Amino acid sequence: MENSEVELDLQRSVQAVLRDLKAQTSALQSNQGMWRWSLHKKVERDPGKSPALVRILLRELEKAESEDLRHVIIPLLHTLMYVLTKATGITEELYRRTYTFCMRLLTLPTPYCTVALECAIRLKTETVVPGTLYQRMVIAEQSLRNELYPYQERVLLFVDPELVSASVCSALLLEIEAAQVQRTPEACMRHVVSHALQAALGEACHAGALHRKLQASSRRTLEHYFHAVVAAVEQMANEASPSRVGHLERLEEIYCSLLGPAAATRGRYGSDPVQDPPPSIPLPSPYITFHLWTGEEQLWKELVLFLRPRSQLCLSADLEGLDLQGLQPDQELVRVSVLSTDSGIERDFLSGADEPPAPSSPELERAGLQRKGGIKKRAWPPDFLMPGSWDGPPGLHRRTGRPSGDGELLPGVSRLHTARVLVLGDDRMLGRLARAYHRLRKRETQKFCLTPRLSLQLYYIPVLAPEEPFASRQPELGELAAFLGRADPWYESTVNTLWPAIHKLAERPPSLDASRTVDPFILDVITYYVRMGTQPIYFQIYTVKIFFSDLSQDPTEDIFLTELKVKIQDSKFPKDGFSPRRKGMAEGPGAELSLCYQKALLSHRPREVSLSLRATGLVLKAIPASDTEVSGSSYCPPSAAPVTDHMCLNVSVTEVVKSSNLAGRSFSTVTNTFRTANIQIQSQDQRLLTLSLDKDNRRTFRDVVRFEVAPCPEPCSGAQKSKAPCLNSQGQKQMEMTKAKPKPLLMPINTFSGIVQ
């Protein structure tokens, strides 16, 4: 009877999550995100409910598959995987059922097959070696040092104090500090040992006695058993054909060594008196560092500080060849070539070789001597000169893809560090992040310090100002968050609805009772997002070149991510200005503008359009404003040829229309819209323009007479040719073609599923 009541309660919670997905209405907005959180809290407080919840979620997934309810598959699958990561006592049969279901999803289109493949890869190891997912997650997030799994992760939380109130910053910092006190290295090692033994041994493990023994153990004893458990799990997980029986035998030996043969036998055969319920094994929150956004260089410096401890220990030969020893964040960038310390004479490299020959190779002995003038240049492999994307495979505009965080950029060099950069704010904060990301990529083309060893993942949680009676402009600051919510319903339900709760938490008065437990809701949702949000959506960054009325002022270049807004100034050119007013030009509101752009067509045929019109303003938006644009032609399909043809800007021009009647001459306005990838706009009369980038008052340019907008290219594409001294004719031809069509710079923002078709 008790088990049936537990399953009914869990079933009601799962149905509440499903109703939350189906009814994305403002009436339920206050409860969105709470159902998923409360469901996970139920099994966290009572780990014995985990197998029942896994069975319920599997039934709902199989039902969704049979009824073709695809919109609930990815949310339920993420919920199931999060439960399996933390749970113990899951039978091998449940693991295999989940793995079989994920394999069936591989026949579906993206993003379903992409998410299912990632889950299947994890489950294949977890089925044979239970507890692997939990152990690897804790080791990486808490940076527990060991040799068999050296990966490290860190969450860098950035908040701009100009966009987020001080009370919100204090509330977030309070939760982060409260969680960090409870996850000491000793506590994390105890959790890893206890979880691995309970997940593998099941009912044969005396959980209460194991918990008491680990609590009483010294730091040295804990480290001994921690390394023993990690070695047993990792060695078995890395075998080609792991044996579940062999894994159980190895962990039984560790269990008997820890508790002693007598205690282990009582726990295994149930001869012990009635046992207490097994204590809950929490999954500690990741290591989060809180940063107030002060400038573009801060992102680079924090990433360098993240890599610094491990970089000072030892570097492989490949990394030494990349000149990675200079990791001071304030150090000036230097060119790739370095001064030679020898006499200036070195042996000539073989023509067309991908890497320099070994010192003892016969090719080097037969090679002649050549004067290098004291400069030693490195031979860059052709596939390393221009990485397509730092965070994953080159994607299309607002397309999704699986990040290659653990891939190898060079032979023998893997990315052991993962930096999860999480920003809070609105579209203005994302514009500032785009500038920092562009600057970071540009810096990396001159000196590869971070790219070879760091996987950079970007996350975004919208935090808008509280709505006021006359705050009609607030929705405009959350356009990118609205797009992400339309593209990924699980992001809408879990993340987009978080900012009202953040403001409610910030409005609470601070508690003077030190023993009071801080409500971990905000931190738990952030943790769930950075752990399960593995599918990025790629956004095109656009560059704008600005020309001013003052001819002595040099043109400037900047970038934007979401919007460029043009307003007509009241001021005019001086008499000897840049462009005199044409004779016979009709007076009226606005300014006479000349537009030249390439129209975006589904046929991929270039069509240049030039026109002149009188307008009161323009808005160039890079974010679709409706669901039809999300699933329509605002991004190009996988088969589309060149990628730059359909990276579309939605241009809205408020045109002035003159009309004459008996009462005299009158003017009216009409809004015209079109799509383009690049555009040039110039003022033809004496009116000057004001440009505003990404809705940010700090990024406003006045007295503008002309500007050009185009997709921002990869910064490394321009310097690629100078870094390739050894290329054959075919390679040079390919490099020239690549330079003629540079790859666009795409900024990924991680979601749970990417764009759901």
Side-chain angles (χ1 to χ4, degrees):
M1 183 67 180
E2 183 178 356
N3 291 334
S4 61
E5 291 179 357
V6 169
E7 291 196 7
L8 284 176
D9 180 59
L10 294 175
Q11 182 70 36
R12 286 193 293 266
S13 297
V14 172
Q15 291 300 324
V17 174
L18 297 179
R19 287 195 302 270
D20 193 15
L21 281 169
K22 296 177 182 177
Q24 300 284 351
T25 61
S26 58
L28 300 177
Q29 188 172 4
S30 59
N31 294 326
Q32 284 182 343
M34 291 293 296
W35 299 115
R36 195 266 334 153
W37 178 76
S38 60
L39 178 63
H40 285 140
K41 281 297 178 182
K42 286 182 180 180
V43 294
E44 183 177 322
R45 298 187 184 102
D46 187 358
K49 297 180 179 179
S50 297
L53 181 56
V54 171
R55 286 193 295 268
I56 293 172
L57 292 173
L58 270 176
R59 285 201 303 265
E60 293 295 335
L61 281 168
E62 292 168 351
K63 178 181 177 182
E65 180 191 19
S66 61
E67 299 179 1
D68 200 22
L69 302 176
R70 297 186 181 181
H71 68 283
V72 303
I73 288 180
I74 292 179
L76 287 177
L77 193 56
H78 279 309
T79 305
L80 175 59
M81 289 300 300
Y82 205 59
V83 174
L84 290 176
T85 301
K86 299 191 292 184
T88 58
I90 305 298
T91 61
E92 185 177 0
E93 184 265 339
L94 286 177
Y95 279 123
R96 295 195 180 278
R97 276 184 58 191
T98 308
Y99 176 77
T100 303
F101 175 80
C102 291
M103 294 300 293
R104 291 202 304 268
L105 294 183
L106 297 183
T107 59
L108 298 180
T110 57
Y112 306 100
C113 62
T114 306
V115 177
L117 177 61
E118 184 177 351
C119 295
I121 293 173
R122 296 180 180 182
L123 287 169
K124 187 174 183 180
T125 302
E126 188 76 9
T127 302
V128 182
V129 189
T132 306
L133 296 179
Y134 179 94
Q135 175 177 292
R136 290 179 174 178
M137 185 173 291
V138 174
I139 290 175
E141 291 179 347
Q142 310 302 329
S143 298
L144 300 179
R145 296 185 178 272
N146 67 93
E147 297 180 355
L148 295 177
Y149 196 77
Y151 296 92
Q152 297 184 30
E153 296 181 4
R154 183 169 299 177
V155 179
L156 287 77
L157 176 61
F158 286 94
V159 178
D160 194 327
E162 295 187 3
L163 306 179
V164 179
S165 64
S167 59
V168 171
C169 295
S170 301
L172 292 173
L173 189 59
L174 178 64
E175 284 202 6
I176 293 173
E177 291 179 347
Q180 290 180 353
V181 172
Q182 302 174 1
R183 54 168 189 76
T184 61
E186 293 82 1
C188 293
M189 287 189 288
R190 281 194 293 266
H191 297 333
V192 169
V193 175
S194 181
H195 187 276
L197 294 177
Q198 291 187 39
L201 303 180
E203 296 180 356
C205 178
H206 194 309
L210 177 62
H211 176 73
R212 292 189 293 269
K213 181 67 175 179
L214 292 175
Q215 287 287 344
S217 300
S218 62
R219 171 67 181 263
R220 185 174 181 179
T221 304
L222 276 177
E223 290 182 349
H224 170 74
Y225 284 105
F226 168 75
H227 289 294
V229 167
V230 171
V233 172
E234 289 299 327
Q235 290 175 5
M236 187 61 64
N238 292 327
E239 289 186 2
S241 300
S243 171
R244 188 182 179 96
V245 177
H247 177 61
L248 295 180
E249 292 177 353
R250 296 188 64 178
L251 289 187
E252 280 183 352
E253 294 177 0
I254 299 175
Y255 179 69
C256 293
S257 174
L258 183 60
L259 290 184
T265 303
R266 288 197 303 270
R268 180 175 181 178
Y269 296 102
S271 58
D272 199 51
V274 179
Q275 299 184 16
D276 297 331
S280 175
I281 305 175
L283 180 58
S285 61
Y287 185 78
I288 301 178
T289 57
F290 187 90
H291 307 277
L292 294 178
W293 186 272
T294 57
E296 299 172 4
E297 293 294 332
Q298 187 181 7
L299 179 59
W300 160 268
K301 293 181 179 181
E302 295 300 334
L303 295 177
V304 169
L305 291 177
F306 175 37
L307 291 180
R308 183 190 297 273
R310 182 60 62 92
S311 66
Q312 292 178 348
L313 296 178
C314 60
L315 295 174
S316 65
D318 297 306
L319 290 178
E320 291 289 358
L322 294 177
D323 193 17
L324 294 179
Q325 66 272 16
L327 286 177
Q328 290 77 9
D330 297 327
Q331 182 181 0
E332 290 294 330
L333 295 178
V334 296
R335 57 184 177 177
V336 176
S337 300
V338 296
L339 292 179
S340 174
T341 56
D342 58 9
S343 62
I345 300 177
E346 65 178 4
R347 299 188 183 275
D348 195 16
F349 290 144
L350 293 178
S351 176
D354 290 344
E355 59 182 7
S360 59
S361 63
E363 292 82 358
L364 188 59
E365 293 297 332
R366 292 193 297 266
L369 299 178
Q370 183 177 1
R371 184 74 182 182
K372 293 295 181 181
I375 298 293
K376 181 171 65 176
K377 298 182 178 180
R378 297 188 183 91
W380 295 79
D383 58 346
F384 179 66
L385 298 176
M386 188 171 129
S389 177
W390 193 351
D391 312 280
L396 303 179
H397 184 38
R398 290 189 287 273
R399 297 295 292 178
T400 60
R402 185 173 182 272
S404 56
D406 297 335
E408 292 188 354
L409 187 64
L410 288 178
V413 181
S414 59
R415 291 185 173 126
L416 302 180
H417 296 72
T418 299
R420 306 190 185 277
V421 177
L422 172 65
V423 296
L424 272 68
D426 50 37
D427 290 346
R428 294 171 292 180
M429 182 61 185
L430 286 172
R432 298 172 188 179
L433 176 65
R435 292 187 68 186
Y437 181 74
H438 174 263
R439 191 177 185 88
L440 190 64
R441 294 298 301 267
K442 191 173 182 179
R443 183 189 286 257
E444 282 294 295
T445 63
Q446 303 176 13
K447 189 172 185 180
F448 288 89
C449 292
L450 303 178
T451 308
R453 291 180 298 150
L454 179 68
S455 174
L456 182 63
Q457 309 292 319
L458 302 181
Y459 299 81
Y460 169 53
I461 293 181
V463 178
L464 306 180
E467 293 187 3
E468 300 176 0
F470 300 98
S472 59
R473 296 187 60 186
Q474 284 301 324
E476 297 181 3
L477 296 176
E479 286 184 333
L480 193 140
F483 170 81
L484 293 175
R486 295 192 303 269
D488 184 358
W490 195 227
Y491 180 92
E492 172 70 21
S493 177
T494 305
V495 178
N496 265 356
T497 57
L498 183 59
W499 67 268
I502 293 179
H503 284 290
K504 290 180 181 179
L505 180 64
E507 292 172 357
R508 296 180 183 177
S511 176
L512 300 178
D513 186 6
S515 61
R516 177 180 175 272
T517 303
V518 179
D519 185 8
F521 172 71
I522 306 298
L523 181 61
D524 284 351
V525 176
I526 290 176
T527 299
Y528 177 78
Y529 175 36
V530 298
R531 283 171 174 166
M532 307 306 294
T534 59
Q535 303 300 319
I537 297 179
Y538 290 90
F539 290 88
Q540 172 65 56
I541 297 177
Y542 289 89
T543 180
V544 53
K545 189 173 184 180
I546 304 171
F547 300 84
F548 300 94
S549 60
D550 186 359
L551 298 180
S552 62
Q553 186 176 358
D554 295 333
T556 184
E557 290 190 7
D558 208 329
I559 64 170
F560 69 94
L561 180 68
T562 59
E563 178 186 284
L564 186 151
K565 194 170 187 178
V566 183
K567 293 183 178 180
I568 309 300
Q569 294 180 197
D570 294 333
S571 58
K572 298 183 178 182
F573 295 144
K575 293 182 179 181
D576 55 348
F578 183 84
S579 178
R581 186 170 65 93
R582 298 198 305 265
K583 292 183 179 181
M585 181 176 296
E587 295 292 338
E592 191 76 13
L593 302 180
S594 172
L595 285 70
C596 180
Y597 63 93
Q598 183 177 343
K599 193 170 184 179
L601 300 173
L602 293 177
S603 61
H604 308 291
R605 296 176 181 176
R607 179 182 173 186
E608 297 288 342
V609 178
S610 298
L611 57 92
S612 295
L613 51 82
R614 177 166 288 273
T616 58
L618 296 90
V619 178
L620 285 70
K621 289 186 176 293
I623 306 299
S626 64
D627 295 337
T628 56
E629 295 183 19
V630 173
S631 58
S633 60
S634 63
Y635 62 89
C636 46
S639 60
V643 84
T644 55
D645 287 349
H646 277 262
M647 292 179 179
C648 302
L649 284 169
N650 296 307
V651 183
S652 299
V653 184
T654 305
E655 184 180 359
V656 177
V657 180
K658 182 183 69 172
S659 60
S660 299
N661 49 35
L662 296 177
R665 187 172 52 185
S666 62
F667 298 92
S668 60
T669 59
V670 61
T671 301
N672 298 322
T673 60
F674 57 89
R675 293 176 180 176
T676 180
N678 46 64
I679 187 172
Q680 300 177 11
I681 299 177
Q682 180 172 342
S683 177
Q684 295 295 329
D685 57 9
Q686 294 181 344
R687 296 292 183 183
L688 299 177
L689 310 177
T690 297
L691 305 187
S692 179
L693 305 182
D694 288 325
K695 312 163 190 175
D696 196 341
N697 293 332
R698 296 194 304 182
R699 302 176 59 198
T700 301
F701 300 89
R702 296 181 59 84
D703 301 335
V704 178
V705 297
R706 176 169 167 257
F707 65 92
E708 303 172 357
V709 177
C712 181
E714 278 277 2
C716 52
S717 60
Q720 176 174 332
K721 192 172 182 179
S722 63
K723 293 182 180 180
C726 302
L727 288 176
N728 53 25
S729 59
Q730 182 179 2
Q732 291 179 355
K733 184 177 180 181
Q734 183 178 3
M735 297 284 286
E736 292 175 359
M737 291 177 60
T738 305
K739 189 174 182 180
K741 296 181 179 180
K743 293 184 178 180
L745 178 59
L746 307 176
M747 189 177 81
I749 297 179
N750 278 21
T751 61
F752 296 100
S753 60
I755 296 179
V756 177
Q757 302 290 339

